[in-house]
Amino acid sequence: MTDLRSLIAIFTFLFLLVMPIAMLIIGREVFTAMTTGQDLSHRAVDGSISFHLFDNPLLLNDALIVFLLFVVTLSSVAVITLGGSLFRPLYRRDTVDFEWSLPLTKNEWFLGRALALIAGLSIIYIVNSFATSAILYAWGLKDILPTFLLIYLKTYLAAIVFTGFSLVIFSLSGRLFDAIVINVALHITCPFLLLISGSMPENTLLRGIMWFFAPAIDSYRAVVAAKSFFYYAVLIVFWFVLSWFCATKRPAEWGGRKTGTLRWFHGAQPIFSFIGSVIVSNLFAVLDPSPMRTTLLKPLFIIGALLGAFLGQLVSSAVTGKTLQRVTGEDSENTKLHPILQEWLWSLGGVALLYAFTLIG
Amino acid sequence: MVNNQVVERKDSERPNPSTATTTQSSDEQEVVIVADSLSKHFGATKALDKVNCKIGGASIFGLIGSNGAGKSTFLRLAAGVYKPTEGTILYRGQVIYDNPNAKKEIIFVADQPYFYFENLKKMSALYRSLYETWDQELYHELLQIFPIKEDQRLDLLSKGLHRQAALILAIASKPRLLLMDEAFDGLDPVMRQNLKRILARQVADDGMTTLIASQNLRELEDFCDHVGLLHDGGLLFVEELDKLRLGLVKAQVAFRGDITEKQLKSMGLEILRFHARGSLVEILSRNTELELRTILNQLSPLLLDVLPLTLEEVFIYELSRKAYIVSELLA
């Protein structure tokens, strides 16, 4: 309890440091100079205009962009830190014994923790946005306040989406360390896959799925990309319902166990192979100078897919703390192919399918 | 894996623990806990396998067994921490898992107590809000008995004091069912006696049922009224302690001539163990003391001493009938 209060206080201070205090440090003159000629109000209010960070001109001034990107980064760290503090009881035997023997339902337990986390984040955002608004108001920059607050609101909503996503990871992990590693790993892998599948148009399903599994990265888009409130509402409901389900169904005995040894992880093993295949095959394809019409037939692409699948299997085995092996259900004992080979074939099929999607795109 | 069946007595008058309560009759005393084919598996490991038992109210039930026998798992199931893999465990007819109605009458003191807040003052406020039966007067009385101050930092306490703090909170909550895992671990002899005295009072005055898991048989023998022995996930044995002691008798006898086990059996003694050392014979039989004396006096022994039986000996003889080696069952 004391930890939570301290964490909220620390993050409130850090947010203040990043936004209003930084504004006070650079001063009104510099800030105004940076925003000169940047009419923010008509650019982002309705959210109908697409914003791009790199190729196209920015629609927000440099100063605000930098500030807000810091805020987004901080809020992602705050979600993981506050969430870790609140959901830590899931991972220790003594805390599980204590909390789950109390006369509370699992629903009450989850709701209490989730609301505390949202409340903590809300306090941080409210304090910060009030302080920043007060400074802008005092500087006589009332015109940009609505735009500024709208972006702030979207950033906050994106942080809540990431909170729901993180709660799913927290509920599915055996240890807090594993939960953080899985969360970070997903946020590294998904954008990487996005880069690889760069030729796909923005609205393809696969790109959408990749953003979906990297909501902290996606929240950077809240600053610049046009996303409706409905988009955030759907994601918030989805992730919180899923996290509620995972948390209330989570067996007490998972606490303290390596995530790789949990039952659901057996089902996740092929994903490692698939992702390994996609990444390594695409990297190898870039290096392959052979004049093949389709990348799919390039020898290095195929070698990369096979090697990537194998590396993926090695990684997932390492997560379970074992040498290369596949844990399978009882039914699969009768299958004709070895589980490792079977997984390879599925991965290669998946890579081919992904490539086909890219071509269609 | 030991076949999970409860040790049955030859005497058909005695209750079969697989179906009987630990009390004399379910009509006389309410059954608090009913486990029916209760199993808890952790992957391939069967921590508990098809355990059946009934625990009566207002009693002190000792659950004994070696490490990994399934004692803590049984307590966690009874506290609603774990969900059974198969079977059911009911508290006064209610499912315990995820049921606050049942849980508000149950308190679990785990082997490693955890405190949400930093001192007893805040913890007691939490317990007061959660348990309607919280007794502030009793809480202050316990603070006088146990050497812990209300505002003392709990995370700085020793293991024994940690346990005492957890016990203060648990007892002051006046639960109908108190579950304790290795309750006496880390307590000094004075505190052990204090705890036993307080628990006995709560059982007598408030009808509290106490279920204590321990590896130490001697710890429980002057304290529990019922005992159950868990081994390898199975409940081997459940019995009322007094009945156990009443049904067995150990004696040292010296006869003038040679007396064989067969002779004594033919006279009506139900001998469990016969050990002759010269003219001195040690007999363990399933008879009352009066029966034993009457039969042996017919042989005009030179010496006849009835010896006290420890709980450990009772278990040794009871379980040896089922070919269990007690040293393997108990730590």
Side-chain angles (χ1 to χ4, degrees), chain A residues 93 95 97 100 106 253, chain B residues 40 76 97-98 103 114:
Chain A
R93 173 166 278 186
T95 50
D97 281 346
W100 290 15
K106 292 271 181 73
E253 55 268 27
Chain B
K40 183 65 189 174
R76 288 189 174 99
Y97 184 76
D98 211 21
K103 283 180 171 183
Y114 169 74

Side-chain angles (χ1 to χ4, degrees), chain A residues 6 13 17 33 57 71 89 106 118 193 205 213 218 270 280 309 335 347 350:
Chain A
S6 308
F13 171 72
L17 197 66
V71 167
K106 292 271 181 73
I118 292 171
L193 289 175
L205 180 67
F213 285 108
D218 194 29
V280 181
T335 54
S347 300

Side-chain angles (χ1 to χ4, degrees), chain A residues 337-356:
Chain A
L337 280 174
H338 191 277
I340 290 179
L341 196 59
Q342 211 173 35
E343 201 172 291
W344 261 21
L345 291 177
W346 279 113
S347 300
L348 292 179
V351 171
L353 202 65
L354 181 69
Y355 188 74

Side-chain angles (χ1 to χ4, degrees), chain A residues 110-143:
Chain A
F110 174 76
L111 202 66
R113 303 265 160 182
L115 286 179
L117 180 51
I118 292 171
L121 275 176
S122 303
I123 290 168
I124 294 166
Y125 265 92
I126 288 168
V127 169
N128 193 259
S129 55
F130 264 107
T132 312
S133 302
I135 291 168
L136 289 175
Y137 190 82
W139 282 353
L141 300 170
K142 281 178 274 183
D143 293 347

Side-chain angles (χ1 to χ4, degrees), chain A residues 1-2 4-5 86 88-89 92-108 113 248-254 257 263, chain B residues 40-43 76 79-83 97-101 103-104 106 108 110-118 122-123 126-127 130-131:
Chain A
M1 198 67 181
T2 318
L4 186 67
R5 280 200 297 261
L86 277 162
R88 195 172 45 190
R92 280 171 45 187
R93 173 166 278 186
D94 58 344
T95 50
V96 169
D97 281 346
F98 173 74
E99 302 219 357
W100 290 15
S101 63
L102 293 176
L104 297 169
T105 61
K106 292 271 181 73
N107 289 338
E108 288 166 340
R113 303 265 160 182
T248 52
K249 298 293 175 199
R250 178 191 166 92
E253 55 268 27
W254 278 14
R257 279 179 59 187
R263 200 185 302 162
Chain B
K40 183 65 189 174
H41 303 168
F42 301 112
R76 288 189 174 99
V81 175
Y82 286 163
K83 188 180 184 180
Y97 184 76
D98 211 21
N99 180 5
N101 283 335
K103 283 180 171 183
K104 69 185 177 189
I106 303 170
F108 175 39
D111 53 346
Q112 288 177 302
Y114 169 74
F115 302 99
Y116 191 71
F117 293 110
E118 64 269 24
K122 289 181 180 173
M123 283 303 296
L126 175 69
Y127 273 64
L130 289 170
Y131 300 100

